[in-house]
Structures are given as C-alpha cells and as structure tokens.
Amino acid sequence: MKFRFNMAASIRFLVRRMVRDYSRNINCSVSCQIVRSSCPLNLSACRCFSDNAENKTTHFGFETVPEGEKTERVYKVFESVAQKYDLMNDAMSLGVHRLWKDMLLHVMNPQPGMRLLDVAGGTGDISFRFLDYVRSQEERVARRVAQANQTPSWQEISTSYAAPGQEEVEPRRSRAIVCDINKEMLKVGQQKADRMGLTSGLSWVVGNAEELPFDDDQFDVYTVAFGIRNVTHIDLALQEAFRVLKPGGRFICLEFSKVANPLLSQLYNAYSFQVIPVLGEVIAGDWKSYQYLVESIRKFPDQETFKGMIEDAGFFSVRYHNLTGGVVAIHSGFKL
C-alpha cells in the first residue's frame, strides 16, 4: 500500500522540528544556568532539572506513562483495532456515530473548491462525507445551469462566449487529505475508498497531528473526529491546526465530552466500562484496547476547558454544540 510522500514538505517538516528542538535545548540551558547561579553549591541541580524535563509523564487512559511512551502505545492500540474499527464503532454507538459525523458535515457546510485536512482521519469517514456532500452540491448547481441554458436569452448567449484571447477558467476542484499517524488505519481507509470508487480528489498521508507535514496556510477546513484525545500534547496539535489553515479557515473537532445530566452520566459510565470492553473482546478480540479508549474519554477535558484551549491556540469565534446530551461535542473556531 502506497501513501503520498512530499519531499519538499518533508524537508520543511524536519527543519521545523530541528528549530523546535533547538529552542527547547536553549530554554533548558537557560534554566540550568539560573539554577546554578541561584545555588552554586548544588552542582547536580541542573542535571536533575534537565532529567525532570526529559522524563515528563502523561496519561494513557488511567495509567501514568512517560510522554515519549504514549505515542507508541496509542499507535499499537489502533494498529490492533484497525481491521474491526468501523464494525466496533457501529456496535459501541449502536450506529449513532454516523449521525454525529453527519452533524459535523452539517456544521461545516462545505462549498465546492474547498480543501479539507482530516487529521486522525483513519478509515476516512469524514473525508468520504465531505466529498459526497460537495459533489452533490456541484451536481445541483450543474442541473440549475443546464435548466437555465435550455431557454437562454440573446444576452445570455452572447455572454456565454469568452472574449477573444480569453480562456474560460475551470473552477478549482474540492480535495480531501486524510492524515493519520497509523499506517494500518490508513490502509483500511484506502481499501474502503477503493470499494466505494472514491479515488478522485482524495489523498492519504502518514503524519503526526503534533508535527504536520504540510506548509502554512494550506487548508480551508481542518477536522479531527475522535482523535485529538489520543495525542500526547493537545496544545501542539491545536497550534499545528492553526498553522496549516488559511486565514479564514475553520477548525472543527468532533470528540467525546462530558455528560451534564447525572442520571444519563451514570448510565453512560455503566455502559462504557461494563459493556464496551466486552464488545471489544467479543468482536475484535481485544479487551485492553477498548478499555483504554473508554478511559481516554474520561481523561479528556470538558467542553469549556477544551474551548479555552482552542482559543489559546489563536482561534476566534470558538463555540461548541453538545450532541446526545454531551456524550460528544462539536467544537469549532476560525483562523482570522
């Protein structure tokens, strides 16, 4: 299975990574100098400070792990569940996840000519919906134009011809790029696209949400559905989303959130912890991965906290819509 590889973008990605790592080393060195100067007798202070900076921890579900370990462990989770991912989504949500994704497209309201970046897009559900939505709009416009041209006026006939030496400009086609760090998920998505006959206007790229392999100001819409809670540094992923969006571009995130109603919350928790891992074992033969997925939902920030994080990344007009009582929420914001 082949995925898109852009040499120029990859070089720019490496340069950005080197600059970021260099900046971190500079900050660490400055901090060490401050520690040394403030306590000259404690020669190990700087070394201890540096070790603490390099050994930061984060959560992997309810488990505390080193930051450097989380990405690999999340990768293995989705590598394990990739083949049964779509079937499990239907089983776990009783098919409601399809309605949630349809609502995301309703909120997006994509227009012909848009460029979509679908991060953590895995098996391609959002991108498929995007392309279907846009093409249905294009067909509707084409039908209206055809009907109008059935009985054109003399003025419409004269203006329909291009002026001498002037060529008619073909409208830009819509395009979706599915970007995911997990190759197995992308393989499953590409196989689905082939079965559906969706090949035009669709690309598959291996990439990390925290260090996207794209230039600045490239996309009209950035989506991430049920993926951002799995990244190690959510703030970095949000900064990358802001970077790759064009001015005026829109960030849209569909993610599990916090249920406000106490009774619904109790029922939801009971179903999540007592039923979903069992479904994972029966359908996918993988209890642990779905236990992690349930726990990761509980560790994700609530609606207001995540809204603040999006605003901190630079987005404006940030708002959210709760779906199914807050089981999931759609957050959106604009890059001005």
Side-chain angles (χ1 to χ4, degrees):
M1 193 68 63
K2 294 181 180 179
F3 302 105
R4 185 180 170 191
F5 180 78
N6 187 312
M7 178 66 75
S10 299
I11 293 173
R12 284 187 286 268
F13 160 76
L14 290 174
V15 170
R16 283 198 302 270
R17 186 168 188 174
M18 289 171 62
V19 169
R20 195 171 80 175
D21 291 344
Y22 178 75
S23 299
R24 286 177 175 173
N25 291 337
I26 290 294
N27 291 335
C28 180
S29 298
V30 171
S31 301
C32 288
Q33 291 298 330
I34 292 173
V35 171
R36 279 199 180 110
S37 61
S38 61
C39 188
L41 296 179
N42 187 359
L43 299 179
S44 64
C46 179
R47 183 171 60 254
C48 293
F49 184 90
S50 178
D51 290 343
N52 288 335
E54 292 178 357
N55 294 313
K56 291 182 179 178
T57 59
T58 186
H59 61 83
F60 177 78
F62 291 159
E63 185 181 353
T64 299
V65 298
E67 282 189 349
E69 187 178 312
K70 179 174 179 177
T71 300
E72 181 181 353
R73 294 184 67 170
V74 170
Y75 188 97
K76 290 180 178 178
V77 165
F78 285 94
E79 186 178 48
S80 172
V81 305
Q83 294 298 324
K84 300 288 185 179
Y85 182 79
D86 290 324
L87 178 61
M88 276 299 299
N89 280 347
D90 283 331
M92 289 187 300
S93 70
L94 304 179
V96 178
H97 76 100
R98 298 173 183 268
L99 301 179
W100 294 335
K101 292 167 183 174
D102 289 342
M103 182 58 68
L104 184 152
L105 265 293
H106 177 75
V107 170
M108 185 195 303
N109 188 27
Q111 302 300 312
M114 277 187 169
R115 293 193 71 198
L116 167 71
L117 176 61
D118 182 18
V119 174
T123 58
D125 279 358
I126 300 302
S127 291
F128 298 161
R129 284 170 167 78
F130 168 81
L131 291 174
D132 285 342
Y133 192 102
V134 168
R135 284 168 185 170
S136 66
Q137 285 190 324
E138 292 173 343
E139 291 171 0
R140 197 178 305 120
V141 170
R143 284 195 298 268
R144 283 201 294 262
V145 171
Q147 291 172 357
N149 288 339
Q150 287 178 355
T151 55
S153 65
W154 286 108
Q155 184 179 6
E156 290 172 333
I157 292 174
S158 64
T159 55
S160 66
Y161 290 96
Q166 189 177 33
E167 294 184 0
E168 195 171 331
V169 179
E170 185 178 345
R172 190 179 69 161
R173 300 299 301 271
S174 298
R175 186 164 192 82
I177 296 179
V178 182
C179 179
D180 199 295
I181 197 171
N182 196 291
K183 293 181 181 180
E184 290 303 314
M185 293 288 286
L186 289 175
K187 287 180 181 179
V188 173
Q190 197 166 26
Q191 290 166 0
K192 282 173 57 181
D194 292 341
R195 290 195 300 269
M196 297 167 65
L198 284 173
T199 55
S200 177
L202 185 62
S203 300
W204 305 84
V205 177
V206 177
N208 188 337
E210 298 180 22
E211 296 178 301
L212 293 171
F214 305 106
D215 290 338
D216 300 353
D217 307 330
Q218 291 294 304
F219 300 96
D220 300 293
V221 183
Y222 172 115
T223 57
V224 54
F226 304 118
I228 201 165
R229 75 180 188 279
N230 295 308
V231 305
T232 304
H233 305 98
I234 295 175
D235 56 339
L236 292 183
L238 293 172
Q239 291 168 23
E240 281 290 271
F242 188 87
R243 180 183 66 78
V244 300
L245 279 169
K246 298 176 182 177
R250 191 175 190 184
F251 167 87
I252 307 177
C253 175
L254 173 64
E255 187 55 88
F256 289 105
S257 200
K258 297 295 184 289
V259 178
N261 182 282
L263 178 59
L264 179 58
S265 180
Q266 288 182 5
L267 294 173
Y268 176 50
N269 285 335
Y271 176 78
S272 297
F273 286 99
Q274 296 177 23
V275 176
I276 289 179
V278 175
L279 288 175
E281 179 65 28
V282 172
I283 295 174
D286 192 338
W287 177 295
K288 289 184 178 180
S289 291
Y290 286 94
Q291 181 70 27
Y292 157 74
L293 293 176
V294 170
E295 293 175 359
S296 69
I297 294 169
R298 271 62 188 182
K299 299 297 290 185
F300 190 70
D302 62 28
Q303 290 90 324
E304 282 294 325
T305 302
F306 187 49
K307 177 176 180 283
M309 295 175 71
I310 298 170
E311 290 171 335
D312 290 343
F315 290 99
F316 287 86
S317 189
V318 179
R319 58 190 65 187
Y320 61 86
H321 307 276
N322 284 327
L323 305 177
T324 318
V327 172
V328 302
I330 297 176
H331 283 75
S332 71
F334 292 88
K335 175 179 177 178
L336 302 182

